[in-house]
Amino acid sequence: MNDLAFPVPLWVWAAVTVGICVMLAVDLVAHRDNHVIGFKEAAIWSSLWIAIGLGFGLILLAWQGGEVSSTYYAGYLIEKALSIDNVFVFALVFSFFAVPDAYQHKILFWGVLGALAARLVFIFVGAELLQVFFWTAYLFGAFLIWTGWKMAVSKDAEVHPDRNPVVRLVKKLIPTDAKFHSDKFFIHVSGKRVATLLFVALVAIEATDLIFAIDSVAAVLAITTNTFLVWTANAFAVLGLRSLYFCLAGLLRRFAYLHYGLAVLLAFAGVKLILSETPVGKLPIPLTLSVIAVTITVSIAWSLIATRGQSAGTPQQPAAAGERVADATDQPPTDPASHQSATGRGPHPKEPS
């Protein structure tokens, strides 16, 4: 599979990794008091993360030229668009477990660390498979097309965080308390270490993000198998995921048609990946960028126009914090908006009638 190839010195990898760690540390220090994050603060942080992500593309432009920079931007945009879908799942999990607003950032912070680690593994494994076995391009491409189709047609499917196999396994292996204990993931009861409901919510976030990581990484690998570009595009997009959640949490009901746009992007990535191993070859990066930008713009504009005049709102919170006991047999919230799923990746609001 022919692709962009340029030497990336070890010190560059190290510098980027250290830079990402520093940014995470700054974010952790800035929110160490567990305060409730409002829209204004989230918008400022989100703008900062986006500026950093776009700025890195300019560094690539000066270092390696326009083709490399454009390829990075294509990967960054598609990952950023798909990350919006994560927001719906975050809202579902927080609503289901009634996670207090003040503790949501802490869960998302550690969730992002897990997301970055999972993506790093998937990137190197996926890129190596595509380089060594040409037929994996057809396999990954078909998976992306299937995921896009499922996202577009799977409506009204219920999603239950407590039934996730990973969450259920953790509950069986680790003693769990069915309440929140400030911002602690673990407490000691009668000399034993016990996981709190906050930790269960974190596990639910991590478990669902593993699914997101697979198709997100596959979508960017459809654009390039250059591990440095795939990693940086994913990393800089995911870094702003926490702030993006707090920006969009109050607008979830307005994105009624966004899943159609995301479905198109996944299917397009799948077709692009398959074509790369045919006489057609890889589609031009300018075409890829145009398809991504137009699809995102149209789906968001369509959603906002179709839902104008409707209240934004977020999924309804279940009763009091702690009442969503850690038992896997609990019933989900009765409010359909709190677990409605219009896609194969996560919950989405109903389309306007």
Side-chain angles (χ1 to χ4, degrees):
M1 183 177 182
N2 297 325
D3 206 351
L4 288 174
F6 58 92
V8 181
L10 185 60
W11 70 265
V12 174
W13 276 96
V16 171
T17 303
V18 170
I20 291 172
C21 291
V22 169
M23 287 183 279
L24 287 170
V26 169
D27 187 49
L28 181 62
V29 171
H31 300 92
R32 63 185 182 278
D33 58 348
N34 293 325
H35 64 277
V36 177
I37 299 176
F39 176 81
K40 181 179 180 180
E41 180 183 357
I44 292 174
W45 277 99
S46 189
S47 299
L48 176 61
W49 295 126
I50 292 174
I52 291 173
L54 297 178
F56 186 77
L58 296 178
I59 295 176
L60 289 175
L61 176 64
W63 178 32
Q64 293 292 337
E67 185 178 6
V68 170
S69 178
S70 298
T71 302
Y72 162 80
Y73 279 130
Y76 175 81
L77 281 178
I78 198 169
E79 176 64 26
K80 199 69 175 175
L82 291 173
S83 69
I84 297 176
D85 206 39
N86 291 49
V87 170
F88 291 95
V89 171
F90 294 162
L92 168 70
V93 173
F94 289 153
S95 175
F96 187 90
F97 292 105
V99 179
D101 293 344
Y103 306 148
Q104 291 179 3
H105 184 275
K106 181 172 183 177
I107 289 181
L108 293 180
F109 175 84
W110 294 106
V112 164
L113 284 182
L116 288 173
R119 280 164 170 76
L120 188 60
V121 173
F122 291 157
I123 286 168
F124 278 96
V125 172
E128 186 66 20
L129 287 174
L130 288 170
Q131 292 289 355
V132 176
F133 305 106
F134 76 92
W135 51 266
T136 55
Y138 303 126
L139 184 63
F140 287 175
F143 170 73
L144 287 170
I145 294 173
W146 175 80
T147 303
W149 172 82
K150 185 179 179 183
M151 178 178 288
V153 303
S154 297
K155 298 179 182 180
D156 303 331
E158 294 185 353
V159 178
H160 307 298
D162 62 333
R163 297 180 186 176
N164 184 287
V166 178
V167 174
R168 298 180 72 172
L169 178 63
V170 168
K171 290 177 182 178
K172 289 182 179 179
L173 297 178
I174 303 175
T176 304
D177 188 284
K179 298 178 182 178
F180 293 105
H181 295 266
S182 86
D183 65 343
K184 294 180 174 62
F185 288 129
F186 292 93
I187 58 173
H188 285 86
V189 178
S190 301
K192 295 183 179 180
R193 199 180 191 197
V194 177
T196 66
L197 194 56
L198 196 69
F199 180 76
V200 176
L202 172 62
V203 171
I205 290 286
E206 296 282 17
T208 52
D209 188 72
L210 282 176
I211 306 300
F212 290 148
I214 295 173
D215 52 21
S216 293
V217 169
V220 182
L221 285 172
I223 297 172
T224 178
T225 55
N226 184 296
T227 52
F228 182 74
L229 293 180
V230 178
W231 164 240
T232 51
N234 268 268
F236 286 114
V238 171
L239 277 175
L241 193 55
R242 301 176 307 286
S243 300
L244 183 66
Y245 167 77
F246 291 108
C247 279
L248 300 182
L251 299 173
L252 295 185
R253 297 178 191 271
R254 297 294 306 277
F255 292 99
Y257 296 105
L258 178 63
H259 59 286
Y260 289 124
L262 299 181
V264 169
L265 289 182
L266 287 172
F268 172 73
V271 171
K272 187 178 188 299
L273 191 55
I274 292 174
L275 290 178
S276 68
E277 292 296 344
T278 69
V280 175
K282 294 183 71 69
L283 299 180
I285 288 299
L287 173 61
T288 301
L289 267 173
S290 299
V291 170
I292 294 172
V294 170
T295 302
I296 294 173
T297 302
V298 170
S299 59
I300 291 179
W302 182 18
S303 298
L304 295 179
I305 292 173
T307 59
R308 64 181 181 274
Q310 295 185 13
S311 59
T314 57
Q316 182 178 333
Q317 292 282 340
E323 291 186 9
R324 283 283 154 207
V325 186
D327 184 77
T329 60
D330 277 2
Q331 294 298 317
T334 56
D335 179 16
S338 65
H339 59 264
Q340 201 65 244
S341 175
T343 79
R345 289 178 106 239
H348 284 268
K350 288 183 177 179
E351 299 173 10
S353 55

